[in-house]
Coordinates of all heavy atoms in Angstrom, one line a residue:
A28 N 75.4 262.6 -218.2 CA 75.7 261.2 -217.6 C 75.1 261.1 -216.3 O 74.6 259.9 -216.0 CB 77.2 261.0 -217.6
L29 N 75.2 262.1 -215.4 CA 74.6 261.9 -214.1 C 73.1 261.8 -214.2 O 72.5 261.0 -213.4 CB 75.1 263.1 -213.3 CG 76.5 263.3 -212.8 CD1 76.8 264.6 -212.1 CD2 76.8 262.0 -211.9
K30 N 72.4 262.5 -215.2 CA 71.0 262.5 -215.3 C 70.7 261.1 -215.7 O 69.6 260.5 -215.3 CB 70.5 263.5 -216.2 CG 70.6 265.0 -215.6 CD 70.1 265.9 -216.7 CE 70.2 267.4 -216.0 NZ 69.7 268.4 -217.0
D31 N 71.4 260.5 -216.7 CA 71.1 259.2 -217.2 C 71.2 258.2 -216.2 O 70.4 257.3 -216.0 CB 72.0 258.8 -218.4 CG 71.8 259.7 -219.6 OD1 70.7 260.3 -219.7 OD2 72.7 259.7 -220.5
Q32 N 72.3 258.2 -215.3 CA 72.5 257.3 -214.2 C 71.3 257.4 -213.2 O 70.9 256.4 -212.8 CB 73.7 257.6 -213.5 CG 75.1 257.1 -214.3 CD 76.3 257.5 -213.6 OE1 76.4 257.3 -212.4 NE2 77.3 257.9 -214.3
S33 N 71.0 258.6 -213.0 CA 69.9 258.8 -212.0 C 68.6 258.1 -212.5 O 67.8 257.6 -211.8 CB 69.6 260.3 -211.7 OG 68.6 260.6 -210.9
A34 N 68.3 258.4 -213.7 CA 67.1 257.7 -214.4 C 67.1 256.2 -214.4 O 66.1 255.7 -214.1 CB 66.9 258.2 -215.8
E35 N 68.2 255.6 -214.6 CA 68.4 254.2 -214.6 C 68.2 253.7 -213.2 O 67.5 252.7 -212.9 CB 69.7 253.8 -215.1 CG 70.0 252.3 -215.2 CD 69.1 251.5 -216.1 OE1 68.3 252.2 -216.8 OE2 69.0 250.3 -216.0
V36 N 68.9 254.4 -212.1 CA 68.7 253.9 -210.8 C 67.2 254.0 -210.3 O 66.7 253.1 -209.7 CB 69.7 254.7 -209.8 CG1 69.3 254.3 -208.4 CG2 71.2 254.3 -210.3
T37 N 66.6 255.1 -210.8 CA 65.2 255.3 -210.4 C 64.4 254.2 -211.0 O 63.4 253.6 -210.3 CB 64.8 256.6 -210.9 OG1 65.5 257.7 -210.3 CG2 63.3 256.8 -210.6
R38 N 64.5 253.8 -212.3 CA 63.8 252.7 -212.9 C 64.0 251.4 -212.2 O 63.0 250.7 -211.9 CB 64.3 252.6 -214.3 CG 63.5 251.5 -215.2 CD 64.1 251.4 -216.5 NE 65.3 250.7 -216.4 CZ 65.7 249.5 -216.3 NH1 64.7 248.7 -216.2 NH2 66.8 249.0 -216.3
L39 N 65.4 251.1 -211.9 CA 65.6 249.8 -211.1 C 65.0 249.8 -209.9 O 64.4 248.7 -209.4 CB 67.2 249.7 -211.1 CG 67.9 249.3 -212.4 CD1 69.3 249.4 -212.1 CD2 67.5 248.1 -213.0
T40 N 65.0 250.9 -209.2 CA 64.4 250.9 -207.8 C 62.9 250.7 -207.9 O 62.3 250.0 -207.0 CB 64.7 252.3 -207.2 OG1 66.1 252.5 -207.1 CG2 64.1 252.4 -205.7
A41 N 62.2 251.3 -208.9 CA 60.8 251.0 -209.0 C 60.4 249.5 -209.2 O 59.6 249.0 -208.7 CB 60.3 251.8 -210.2
E42 N 61.3 248.8 -210.1 CA 61.2 247.5 -210.3 C 61.4 246.6 -209.0 O 60.6 245.7 -208.7 CB 62.2 247.0 -211.3 CG 61.8 247.5 -212.7 CD 62.9 247.0 -213.9 OE1 63.7 246.2 -213.3 OE2 62.7 247.3 -215.0
L43 N 62.4 247.0 -208.3 CA 62.6 246.3 -207.0 C 61.5 246.5 -206.0 O 61.1 245.6 -205.3 CB 63.9 247.0 -206.3 CG 65.2 246.5 -207.1 CD1 66.5 247.2 -206.5 CD2 65.5 244.9 -206.9
K44 N 60.9 247.8 -205.9 CA 59.8 248.0 -205.0 C 58.5 247.1 -205.4 O 57.9 246.7 -204.5 CB 59.4 249.5 -205.1 CG 60.5 250.4 -204.3 CD 60.1 251.8 -204.1 CE 61.1 252.6 -203.3 NZ 60.7 253.9 -203.1
E45 N 58.4 247.0 -206.6 CA 57.3 246.1 -207.2 C 57.6 244.6 -206.8 O 56.7 243.9 -206.2 CB 57.2 246.1 -208.7 CG 56.2 245.3 -209.2 CD 54.7 245.7 -208.8 OE1 54.6 246.9 -208.6 OE2 53.9 244.9 -208.7
R46 N 58.9 244.2 -206.8 CA 59.2 242.9 -206.5 C 59.1 242.7 -205.0 O 58.6 241.6 -204.5 CB 60.7 242.6 -206.9 CG 61.1 241.1 -206.7 CD 62.7 241.0 -206.8 NE 63.1 241.5 -208.1 CZ 64.3 241.7 -208.4 NH1 65.3 241.2 -207.3 NH2 64.8 242.0 -209.5
E47 N 59.4 243.8 -204.3 CA 59.4 243.7 -202.8 C 57.9 243.4 -202.3 O 57.6 242.7 -201.4 CB 59.8 245.1 -202.2 CG 59.7 245.1 -200.7 CD 60.1 246.4 -200.1 OE1 59.9 247.5 -200.9 OE2 60.3 246.6 -199.0
L48 N 56.9 244.2 -203.1 CA 55.4 243.9 -202.8 C 55.2 242.5 -202.9 O 54.4 242.0 -202.1 CB 54.6 244.9 -203.5 CG 54.8 246.5 -203.2 CD1 53.9 247.2 -204.2 CD2 54.3 246.7 -201.8
Q49 N 55.5 241.9 -204.0 CA 55.1 240.5 -204.3 C 55.9 239.6 -203.3 O 55.1 238.7 -202.9 CB 55.6 240.2 -205.8 CG 55.0 241.0 -206.8 CD 55.5 240.7 -208.2 OE1 56.5 240.0 -208.4 NE2 54.9 241.3 -209.3
Q50 N 57.1 239.9 -203.0 CA 57.8 238.9 -202.1 C 57.2 239.1 -200.7 O 57.1 238.2 -199.9 CB 59.3 239.2 -202.1 CG 59.9 238.8 -203.4 CD 61.4 239.3 -203.5 OE1 61.8 240.2 -202.7 NE2 62.2 238.5 -204.4
A51 N 56.9 240.2 -200.3 CA 56.2 240.5 -199.0 C 55.0 239.9 -198.9 O 54.6 239.2 -197.8 CB 56.1 242.0 -198.6
A52 N 54.1 239.8 -199.9 CA 52.9 239.0 -199.9 C 53.1 237.5 -199.8 O 52.5 236.7 -199.0 CB 52.1 239.4 -201.2
L53 N 54.2 237.1 -200.4 CA 54.5 235.6 -200.4 C 54.9 235.2 -199.0 O 54.5 234.3 -198.4 CB 55.6 235.3 -201.5 CG 56.1 233.9 -201.4 CD1 55.0 232.8 -201.6 CD2 57.3 233.7 -202.3
V54 N 55.7 236.0 -198.3 CA 56.2 235.8 -197.1 C 55.1 235.8 -196.0 O 55.0 234.9 -195.1 CB 57.3 236.9 -196.6 CG1 57.6 236.7 -195.1 CG2 58.5 236.6 -197.5
A55 N 54.1 236.7 -196.2 CA 53.0 236.7 -195.3 C 52.2 235.6 -195.4 O 51.8 234.9 -194.4 CB 52.1 238.1 -195.7
S56 N 52.0 235.0 -196.6 CA 51.2 233.9 -196.8 C 52.0 232.5 -196.2 O 51.3 231.7 -195.5 CB 50.9 233.6 -198.4 OG 50.4 232.4 -198.5
V57 N 53.3 232.6 -196.6 CA 54.1 231.3 -196.0 C 54.1 231.4 -194.5 O 54.2 230.4 -193.8 CB 55.4 231.4 -196.7 CG1 56.2 230.3 -196.1 CG2 55.3 231.2 -198.1
T58 N 54.2 232.6 -194.0 CA 54.2 232.8 -192.5 C 52.8 232.2 -191.9 O 53.0 231.5 -190.8 CB 54.2 234.3 -192.2 OG1 55.6 234.8 -192.6 CG2 54.3 234.4 -190.6
Q59 N 51.8 232.5 -192.4 CA 50.5 231.9 -191.9 C 50.6 230.4 -192.0 O 50.1 229.7 -191.1 CB 49.4 232.4 -192.7 CG 49.1 233.8 -192.6 CD 47.8 234.3 -193.4 OE1 47.4 233.6 -194.4 NE2 47.4 235.6 -193.1
E60 N 51.1 229.8 -193.1 CA 51.1 228.3 -193.1 C 52.2 227.8 -192.2 O 51.9 226.8 -191.6 CB 51.8 228.0 -194.7 CG 50.7 228.4 -195.7 CD 51.2 227.9 -197.1 OE1 52.3 227.2 -197.1 OE2 50.7 228.4 -198.1
R61 N 53.3 228.5 -191.9 CA 54.2 228.0 -191.0 C 53.7 228.0 -189.6 O 53.9 227.1 -188.8 CB 55.4 229.0 -191.1 CG 56.6 228.6 -190.1 CD 57.4 229.8 -189.7 NE 56.6 230.9 -189.1 CZ 57.1 232.1 -188.8 NH1 58.3 232.4 -188.9 NH2 56.3 233.0 -188.1
D62 N 52.9 229.2 -189.3 CA 52.4 229.3 -187.9 C 51.3 228.2 -187.7 O 51.2 227.6 -186.7 CB 51.8 230.7 -187.7 CG 52.8 231.7 -187.6 OD1 54.0 231.4 -187.6 OD2 52.4 233.0 -187.8
A63 N 50.5 228.0 -188.7 CA 49.4 226.9 -188.6 C 50.2 225.5 -188.5 O 49.6 224.7 -187.6 CB 48.6 226.9 -189.9
A64 N 51.2 225.3 -189.3 CA 51.8 224.1 -189.1 C 52.6 223.7 -187.8 O 52.4 222.7 -187.2 CB 52.8 223.8 -190.2
M65 N 53.1 225.0 -187.3 CA 53.8 224.7 -185.9 C 52.8 224.5 -184.8 O 53.0 223.6 -184.0 CB 54.5 226.1 -185.7 CG 55.7 226.3 -186.5 SD 56.6 227.8 -186.3 CE 57.2 227.7 -184.6
A66 N 51.5 225.2 -185.0 CA 50.6 225.0 -184.0 C 50.0 223.4 -184.1 O 49.7 222.9 -183.0 CB 49.4 226.0 -184.2
A67 N 49.8 223.0 -185.3 CA 49.3 221.6 -185.3 C 50.4 220.6 -184.8 O 49.9 219.6 -184.3 CB 49.0 221.4 -187.0
V68 N 51.5 220.9 -185.2 CA 52.7 220.0 -184.6 C 52.8 220.1 -183.1 O 52.8 219.0 -182.4 CB 54.1 220.4 -185.3 CG1 55.2 219.6 -184.4 CG2 54.1 220.0 -186.7
A69 N 52.6 221.2 -182.6 CA 52.5 221.3 -181.0 C 51.4 220.5 -180.5 O 51.5 219.9 -179.4 CB 52.4 222.8 -180.7
E70 N 50.3 220.7 -181.1 CA 49.0 219.9 -180.6 C 49.3 218.4 -180.7 O 48.8 217.6 -179.8 CB 47.8 220.4 -181.4 CG 47.2 221.6 -181.0 CD 46.7 221.8 -179.6 OE1 46.2 220.9 -179.0 OE2 47.2 222.8 -178.9
Q71 N 49.8 218.1 -181.9 CA 50.0 216.6 -182.0 C 51.1 216.0 -181.0 O 51.0 214.9 -180.5 CB 50.6 216.3 -183.4 CG 50.7 214.8 -183.8 CD 49.3 214.2 -183.9 OE1 48.3 214.8 -183.8 NE2 49.4 212.8 -184.1
Q72 N 52.1 216.9 -180.8 CA 53.0 216.5 -179.7 C 52.5 216.3 -178.2 O 52.8 215.4 -177.6 CB 54.2 217.6 -179.7 CG 55.1 217.6 -180.9 CD 56.2 218.7 -180.8 OE1 55.9 219.8 -180.2 NE2 57.3 218.6 -181.4
K73 N 51.5 217.2 -178.1 CA 50.7 217.0 -176.8 C 50.0 215.7 -176.7 O 49.9 215.1 -175.7 CB 49.9 218.2 -176.5 CG 50.5 219.6 -176.2 CD 49.5 220.6 -176.1 CE 50.1 222.0 -175.9 NZ 49.2 223.1 -175.6

């Protein structure tokens, strides 16, 4: 039973790490958009 649980948790962790890579890439992309928008708004405010 312990071995089965360990295998299942290992599988789920691998899926989560794959999801983490995708979400980290999305956050990096959106961060660039956010920073660009904030800079543009600051210039427009000036």
Side-chain angles (χ1 to χ4, degrees):
L29 288 173
K30 288 180 180 179
D31 289 344
Q32 291 179 36
S33 180
E35 179 65 11
V36 173
T37 300
R38 183 187 67 80
L39 292 175
T40 301
E42 292 180 358
L43 287 171
K44 287 185 176 180
E45 180 65 26
R46 188 193 306 173
E47 179 189 24
L48 291 176
Q49 296 173 356
Q50 290 175 337
L53 174 61
V54 169
S56 175
V57 176
T58 299
Q59 291 181 345
E60 295 178 10
R61 179 204 63 181
D62 293 345
M65 290 176 66
V68 167
E70 286 299 317
Q71 187 69 9
Q72 286 174 333
K73 290 181 181 178

